[in-house]
Amino acid sequence: MTEPENAQDTGRRRLLKAALPLAVTATLLDATPSRAASPGPTAKVSAPRGRDRIDVHCHLIPDFYRQSLAEHDITEIGGVPVPAWSPALAVDFMNRYGIEAQVVSVSEPGITYLDTAAERLDMAQRLNTYMSRELVHGSTYRQGRFGGFAVLPLGRTVTVKDVGDAVVEARRAVRELGLDGVGLFSSYGGTYLGDPVFEPLLRELDDLRAMVFIHPVTPTTYPDLGLPPFLYEFTFDTTRALVNMLYKGVYERHARIRWLAAHAGGTLPYISYRTSLLAPAPALAQQLGASRAADSSPYFRSLFYDTALSPAPQAMKSVRELAGTEHILFATDWPFSSPLFPGAGDPAPQLDETFSSNERLAVERSNALAQFPALAARIGARTG
């Protein structure tokens, strides 16, 4: 538990929240104009592109869900205000930044704030049905612009009842509603995905051969540095989830699940060697001085990682070294990242510092289409 804030701490926190969008926008508008005007001889400049990007990490906040959050006094997520969202705003954003389609999901707190299993199931069904009918298989002007990760009726305390409901809803969302995968949080009230309570759900997701998107949450306890937890705590909780599943045998038992880790896998790529040292293959490779291909768990190498809030080379080169370009998918984290996108154009120019033009096209389009064949079919795209 953290100590109560004094007036000075509260004032500083409010100032940080108010200043964050302005600071981000100012940075973008001011970002080294001399370099932008005259790139050096080794700089890469992306050729103009049309609307071809696939954004695999962005969020929806329909009005009925926003109202429910407000009724439970939830006005901030990850330490920042709940942003504006509508299908029209999403399409406008995509059009401005050359994005053909978004695969949307529900961010923290999901439906964990609801008190009863019945309430959680009802809200999960409403959200998934909305995703399917209004977005994924929606009206003409939205056709082909959206995919969706199902939200499951899991609470802060994970119960057998919730997991049973989640099994049924996952099956309904994928097989009946035609959603493109399932979204899970890194943890639920401090219970991570390798816990045995989740095993029936993981078996169902394996049977579905599902793409499962892991999105972080604010941990139940953490040191309060007076900053929004999305800045760093989100990345740490993603890392905890991925490492927990390795040592609980989740990847081995459920090999048909494809896992997509948000925000470049948190800190995992950077510490994948260290966090693999208790696993058999990397430990043996270390003792034998084997090739660096074995210096991280092969399960970590088989995960997929998105670029949301992580397009800079410090993150992307580490992910690429771990998993290869084919396991990296483009993402924006919109609308929570709205201050980063005040205009139009290239949404992630930093990717040029890691990838060639052809590799960028794979990261921003073809890798996603290969993993989301139903979405590829809806937009009439080739995947081979």
Side-chain angles (χ1 to χ4, degrees):
M1 297 291 292
T2 57
E3 295 180 1
E5 295 179 321
N6 59 33
Q8 184 178 2
D9 289 337
T10 302
R12 182 174 69 249
R13 187 183 294 274
R14 289 175 178 168
L15 179 62
L16 282 166
K17 290 172 183 173
L20 180 62
L22 297 176
V24 170
T25 302
T27 300
L28 288 170
L29 295 176
D30 185 55
T32 53
S34 60
R35 287 173 54 194
S38 55
T42 59
K44 300 178 186 177
V45 180
S46 293
R49 284 168 44 183
R51 194 184 71 193
D52 61 5
R53 296 178 175 92
I54 307 297
D55 185 349
V56 302
H57 175 175
C58 40
H59 300 292
L60 77 162
I61 313 168
D63 289 342
F64 66 87
Y65 179 61
R66 183 187 301 275
Q67 181 180 347
S68 177
L69 292 174
E71 288 172 353
H72 290 79
D73 298 320
I74 299 171
T75 59
E76 294 182 353
I77 294 175
V80 297
V82 179
W85 181 88
S86 70
L89 287 173
V91 170
D92 173 71
F93 167 71
M94 287 190 271
N95 290 344
R96 288 189 288 115
Y97 283 97
I99 297 169
E100 183 169 6
Q102 291 181 336
V103 186
V104 296
S105 58
V106 178
S107 184
E108 180 187 50
I111 54 179
T112 61
Y113 64 94
L114 295 171
D115 292 329
T116 69
E119 290 176 301
R120 291 190 288 272
L121 179 58
D122 177 69
M123 182 58 75
Q125 291 175 336
R126 288 186 68 186
L127 284 164
N128 293 333
T129 299
Y130 177 89
M131 266 190 267
S132 175
R133 294 179 181 174
E134 300 297 326
L135 300 179
V136 177
H137 306 288
S139 61
T140 302
Y141 94 93
R142 301 175 197 158
Q143 194 67 40
R145 303 308 300 271
F146 292 96
F149 286 113
V151 60
L152 300 184
L154 298 168
R156 285 186 295 264
T157 300
V158 184
T159 67
V160 172
K161 167 64 174 169
D162 275 355
V163 171
D165 288 344
V167 168
V168 174
E169 183 59 16
R171 189 182 308 125
R172 183 184 84 99
V174 173
R175 291 182 174 168
E176 297 179 25
L177 298 181
L179 297 185
D180 297 282
V182 170
L184 290 176
F185 289 154
S186 52
S187 60
Y188 292 83
T191 301
Y192 287 85
L193 299 176
D195 191 281
V197 73
F198 290 109
E199 191 61 20
L201 175 59
L202 297 178
R203 284 198 300 268
E204 179 65 27
L205 296 176
D206 188 73
D207 287 343
L208 291 170
R209 293 173 167 79
M211 172 65 85
V212 178
F213 176 48
I214 301 178
H215 192 278
V217 295
T218 304
T220 52
T221 59
Y222 63 95
D224 186 357
L225 305 183
L227 294 166
F230 86 88
L231 279 178
Y232 48 91
E233 290 297 340
F234 271 21
T235 64
F236 300 155
D237 215 55
T238 299
T239 304
R240 293 183 191 106
L242 299 175
V243 174
N244 171 262
M245 289 196 292
L246 173 66
Y247 289 104
K248 296 295 185 180
V250 169
Y251 305 129
E252 182 178 5
R253 288 196 308 277
H254 304 293
R256 293 180 296 182
I257 298 176
R258 291 162 296 136
W259 300 95
L260 173 60
H263 310 121
T267 64
L268 180 72
Y270 179 72
I271 62 172
S272 61
Y273 168 75
R274 180 186 181 115
T275 55
S276 298
L277 289 178
L278 296 181
L284 182 61
Q286 172 72 14
Q287 294 168 21
L288 298 178
S291 165
R292 65 188 180 90
D295 62 12
S296 295
S297 169
Y299 294 112
F300 290 159
R301 295 182 181 279
S302 70
L303 303 177
F304 292 87
Y305 301 83
D306 77 36
T307 71
L309 303 183
S310 309
Q314 296 92 326
M316 284 296 100
K317 289 183 179 181
S318 184
V319 178
R320 179 178 180 171
E321 185 70 17
L322 174 64
T325 300
E326 65 275 13
H327 279 242
I328 304 173
L329 309 181
F330 170 74
T332 64
D333 211 345
W334 189 88
F336 291 93
S337 60
S338 293
L340 290 169
F341 302 105
D346 186 344
Q350 305 95 325
L351 294 176
D352 275 342
E353 299 180 59
T354 301
F355 306 107
S356 69
S357 296
N358 286 340
E359 289 171 334
R360 273 202 69 172
L361 187 60
V363 167
E364 294 181 299
R365 181 173 177 82
S366 57
N367 291 349
L369 294 178
Q371 298 305 318
F372 296 94
L375 172 63
R378 290 197 301 272
I379 65 177
R382 293 183 178 179
T383 59

